[in-house]
Amino acid sequence: MMFTFELAFIQLMIMATADCSPKLDNAVVEDLLTMLVRYKEGYDFRNPGNWRYIPAFTASFSHSKNIKAKEIVMFDKIWTNNGNHYDPNTGIFQAPREGLYHVSSTVVSVKGKTVYAHIWQNETRTVGMYPGIGYNEATSNIVLHLKEGDKITVRGGGNRSYLYSSEGHYIMFSAYLIA
């Protein structure tokens, strides 16, 4: 397979140098060289062995809790945490690099009570969740362009929100780099 890739690379270089201006020729050759180096170094993210380099986490909440407006929910059960960019002690996912991230959260209300919650990017409220009263759930999904160091949280959205969960882990929070 490596021989085939290198042969294709050489053919692409010949085609690029045959019909391109010198400035474009250099850019195309540089891009092809970068692709070859990344391939040789194992940066092919389609390879399951490299998935550990993709920032991703999923965490859930294992008990019911009353949360205040803007209070950060600290999800205590970690299912996946590639790179340890989610901190269960603070409830914060911090983007390790710039990119497009898919962010999702699900909340469930306690019987007879309401819950309001939002996904926050740094100090900006994004999408909200309001499942209604009593054992209802709401899920929000959003794709965000995050810069390195941006922080994502799930926070309470009303004066008093009653999150329902148990060992069944009905409330969750996750994010992962998609591009």
Side-chain angles (χ1 to χ4, degrees):
M1 173 138 167
M2 187 60 168
F3 177 73
T4 305
F5 182 80
E6 288 174 350
L7 185 60
F9 177 78
I10 291 168
Q11 288 175 335
L12 285 171
M13 283 185 57
I14 291 168
M15 290 185 328
T17 57
D19 295 326
C20 296
S21 69
K23 189 174 184 179
L24 183 58
D25 175 34
N26 287 340
V28 171
V29 171
E30 283 179 28
D31 287 347
L32 290 171
L33 284 171
T34 300
M35 286 172 46
L36 180 62
V37 167
R38 285 186 175 165
Y39 181 80
K40 283 190 170 191
E41 290 178 354
Y43 288 121
D44 179 11
F45 289 120
R46 293 170 292 173
N47 179 348
N50 292 328
W51 290 351
R52 67 180 175 267
Y53 299 114
I54 298 172
F57 85 95
T58 297
S60 61
F61 202 60
S62 60
H63 56 280
S64 295
K65 182 177 180 175
N66 176 27
I67 57 170
K68 300 173 189 164
K70 297 185 182 179
E71 178 182 344
I72 296 174
V73 180
M74 291 179 274
F75 295 83
D76 57 342
K77 170 62 177 163
I78 308 300
W79 299 95
T80 301
N81 199 3
N82 285 359
N84 294 315
H85 303 293
Y86 173 75
D87 183 350
N89 298 312
T90 62
I92 297 171
F93 169 74
Q94 188 165 356
R97 62 180 185 238
E98 184 174 4
L100 291 176
Y101 289 78
H102 177 263
V103 182
S104 177
S105 183
T106 299
V107 296
V108 178
S109 57
V110 173
K111 182 178 181 181
K113 304 288 184 179
T114 61
V115 64
Y116 299 93
H118 289 86
I119 296 172
W120 288 66
Q121 179 179 359
N122 298 316
E123 294 305 312
T124 303
R125 186 176 64 190
T126 66
V127 294
M129 295 162 280
Y130 172 64
I133 297 174
Y135 297 125
N136 290 310
E137 75 175 38
T139 298
S140 285
N141 292 284
I142 188 169
V143 174
L144 295 170
H145 175 234
L146 302 180
K147 294 184 174 112
E148 181 179 344
D150 277 357
K151 296 175 181 174
I152 302 298
T153 55
V154 173
R155 300 182 189 185
N159 289 336
R160 288 200 169 264
S161 289
Y162 298 88
L163 294 173
Y164 172 77
S165 196
S166 68
E167 294 152 359
H169 302 280
Y170 298 104
I171 299 173
M172 57 77 57
F173 178 32
S174 67
Y176 57 91
L177 177 68
I178 56 176

